[in-house]
């Protein structure tokens, strides 16, 4: 007897959870607590805009991809990734080959997901641990670009740019592709500042308008470097990636389509005609929401809901670091993850 229709979503949800467990959760969520302690609201709590936005996993994925795209328009970010990130494929001599390392890309995505899910609705201790780990990694990222400009991941200007790109990407993907987006998106912008402050950011924008102004103010220092150009636009034409895979031509289009007008011009984004553009956006909207409604929120979100089902304790007053971090080597920082 064929399965009834109401069983199909359960089967799909099970398959998704099994795949997520094998490829992400078992590798990048180790030691993260979502189920306890009872009553712990974490950094935000169940009534927050952050819990609502981050519970829609497909738009979080798209938002992070869009954030990564606009972030890389800063040449220093491009060189930080080229010199330090696992994203760059490296030869036996350790020198980048110019190609993307698929395994490294999976590691980067896995750590990003664990951070933005764990800080959203993990326990307070989990969120603090994740922030300490990322700060430790940032402390090791320092160098000099080929043009002689120094970069430092602890630079307040860089931290502000990085924060603005992330909150912009997550909020913009939510507004365009969530079935029921927040009516007051500034709630999300205002709450999410806690994440930027936990990473050492100061003087951070707190509203949609402030974030838009912040991003635009960096335009004079932005550029499409050869590193960036290699992985976008026509250079992906012969990509073997499937449309739904990060880094595919379709997701490259989706990320560039979310960019502000000035960033689209910088990235040489040539939108299709209005009918095709509407069809693409409608197709992506339907796909993302069907996926979300079929598989439901992640197991971690359901655990967090159960954790606070009987009420919450008071949240921490501030997420900003209260003392300088100990300096660690790259190996020691990676061991914290």
């Amino acid at each position: 007897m064929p399965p009834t229709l109401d069983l199909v979503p359960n089967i799909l949800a099970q398959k998704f959870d099994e795949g997520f467990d094998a490829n992400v959760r078992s590798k990048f969520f180790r030691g993260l607590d979502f189920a306890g302690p009872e009553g712990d609201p974490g950094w935000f709590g169940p009534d927050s805009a952050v819990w609502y936005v981050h519970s829609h996993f497909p738009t979080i994925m798209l938002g992070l991809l869009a954030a990564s795209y606009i972030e890389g328009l800063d040449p220093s970010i491009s060189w930080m990734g080229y010199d330090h990130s696992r994203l760059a494929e490296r030869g036996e001599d350790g020198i980048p080959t110019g190609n993307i390392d698929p395994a490294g890309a999976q590691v980067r995505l896995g750590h990003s997901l664990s951070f933005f899910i764990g800080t959203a609705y993990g326990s307070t201790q989990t969120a603090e641990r994740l922030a300490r780990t990322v700060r430790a990694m940032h402390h090791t990222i320092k160098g000099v670009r080929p043009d002689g400009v120094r970069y430092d991941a602890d630079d307040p200007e860089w931290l502000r740019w990085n924060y603005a790109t992330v909150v912009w990407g997550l909020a913009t993907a939510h507004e365009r592709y969530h079935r029921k987006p927040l009516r007051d998106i500034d709630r999300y912008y205002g709450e999410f500042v806690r994440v930027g402050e936990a990473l050492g950011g100061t003087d951070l924008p707190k509203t949609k308008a402030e974030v838009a102004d912040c991003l635009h103010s960096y335009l004079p220092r932005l550029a499409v470097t050869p590193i960036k150009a290699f992985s976008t636009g026509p250079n992906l034409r012969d990509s073997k990636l499937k449309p739904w895979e990060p880094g595919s031509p379709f997701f490259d289009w989706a990320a560039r389509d979310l960019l502000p007008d000035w960033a689209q011009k910088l990235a040489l984004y040539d939108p299709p005609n209005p009918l095709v553009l509407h069809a693409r956006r409608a197709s992506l909207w339907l796909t993302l929401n069907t996926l979300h409604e079929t598989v439901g929120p992640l197991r971690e979100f359901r655990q967090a809901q159960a954790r606070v089902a009987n009420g919450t304790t008071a949240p921490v007053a501030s997420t900003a670091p209260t003392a300088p971090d100990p300096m660690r080597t790259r190996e020691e920082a990676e061991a914290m993850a």
Side-chain angles (χ1 to χ4, degrees):
M1 182 177 179
T4 59
L5 289 178
D6 61 339
L7 285 179
V8 174
N10 293 332
I11 294 173
L12 293 176
Q14 180 181 349
K15 292 295 184 183
F16 175 85
D17 192 64
E18 290 173 352
F20 189 84
D21 189 49
N23 296 310
V24 179
R25 184 180 290 122
S26 63
K27 299 176 182 178
F28 306 107
F29 281 52
R30 291 173 296 188
L32 305 187
D33 190 4
F34 295 86
E38 184 176 358
D40 179 5
W43 280 356
F44 300 101
D47 296 325
S48 66
V50 169
W51 274 41
Y52 182 73
V53 171
H54 287 236
S55 66
H56 195 290
F57 182 70
T59 52
I60 287 297
M61 281 282 292
L62 178 58
L64 290 176
L65 289 171
S68 177
Y69 192 103
I70 194 172
E71 177 190 56
L73 295 177
D74 181 337
S76 288
I77 299 291
S78 289
W79 286 106
M80 285 183 197
Y82 189 78
D83 291 340
H84 300 275
S85 173
R86 295 185 184 183
L87 195 61
E89 179 187 73
R90 301 177 190 277
E92 294 182 0
D93 55 4
I95 298 176
T97 64
N99 297 319
I100 299 296
D101 180 354
Q106 184 182 31
V107 169
R108 179 175 178 177
L109 178 60
H111 283 311
S112 294
L113 290 175
S114 68
F115 179 81
F116 290 107
I117 291 171
T119 54
Y121 39 83
S123 67
T124 299
Q125 185 177 12
T126 287
E128 290 173 348
R129 172 193 166 187
L130 288 165
R132 284 195 302 270
T133 300
V134 172
R135 291 201 307 268
M137 290 295 295
H138 285 175
H139 297 333
T140 70
I141 302 176
K142 307 177 193 302
V144 182
R145 293 168 14 186
D147 56 2
V149 176
R150 293 187 173 276
Y151 60 75
D152 182 347
D154 286 325
D155 183 337
E157 286 293 309
W158 177 83
L159 287 169
R160 189 173 300 112
W161 166 255
N162 176 260
Y163 170 77
T165 63
V166 169
V167 71
W168 163 84
L170 295 172
T172 303
H174 171 81
E175 283 193 288
R176 181 173 294 178
Y177 289 110
H178 196 288
R179 184 181 294 278
K180 295 181 180 179
L182 289 170
R183 293 183 178 180
D184 181 11
I185 195 64
D186 276 347
R187 276 186 61 211
Y188 178 75
Y189 279 100
E191 292 175 5
F192 200 72
V193 167
R194 305 195 88 187
V195 175
E197 290 176 342
L199 297 183
T202 57
D203 190 26
L204 300 176
K206 297 179 175 62
T207 67
K208 179 178 179 177
E210 288 179 1
V211 167
D213 288 344
C214 176
L215 292 175
H216 188 268
S217 72
Y218 279 74
L219 182 54
R221 69 184 76 183
L222 304 182
V224 178
T225 64
I227 300 169
K228 186 67 180 177
F230 173 79
S231 58
T232 187
N235 288 335
L236 297 177
R237 190 169 291 149
D238 298 323
S239 171
K240 305 302 181 184
L241 293 173
K242 298 178 177 61
W244 58 85
E245 294 179 329
S248 69
F250 183 80
F251 265 103
D252 176 70
W253 163 80
R256 291 196 291 163
D257 185 56
L258 282 172
L259 295 175
D261 290 345
W262 56 266
Q264 289 183 347
K265 294 176 182 177
L266 182 61
L268 299 179
Y269 173 65
D270 184 20
N273 69 65
L275 290 177
V276 173
L277 180 61
H278 176 76
R280 283 189 183 182
R281 288 180 176 177
S283 175
L284 183 55
W285 185 95
L286 181 62
T287 299
L288 295 176
N289 284 289
T290 299
L291 176 61
H292 173 69
E293 290 163 12
T294 299
V295 304
L298 291 178
R299 181 194 309 170
E300 287 74 12
F301 181 71
R302 298 194 299 272
Q303 290 175 333
Q305 286 182 310
R307 187 182 80 226
V308 298
N310 295 322
T312 62
T313 57
V316 294
S318 172
T319 59
T322 56
D325 293 316
M327 297 305 296
R328 296 180 171 88
T329 65
R330 178 64 179 247
E331 292 73 22
E332 291 172 333
E334 288 184 344
M336 296 172 63

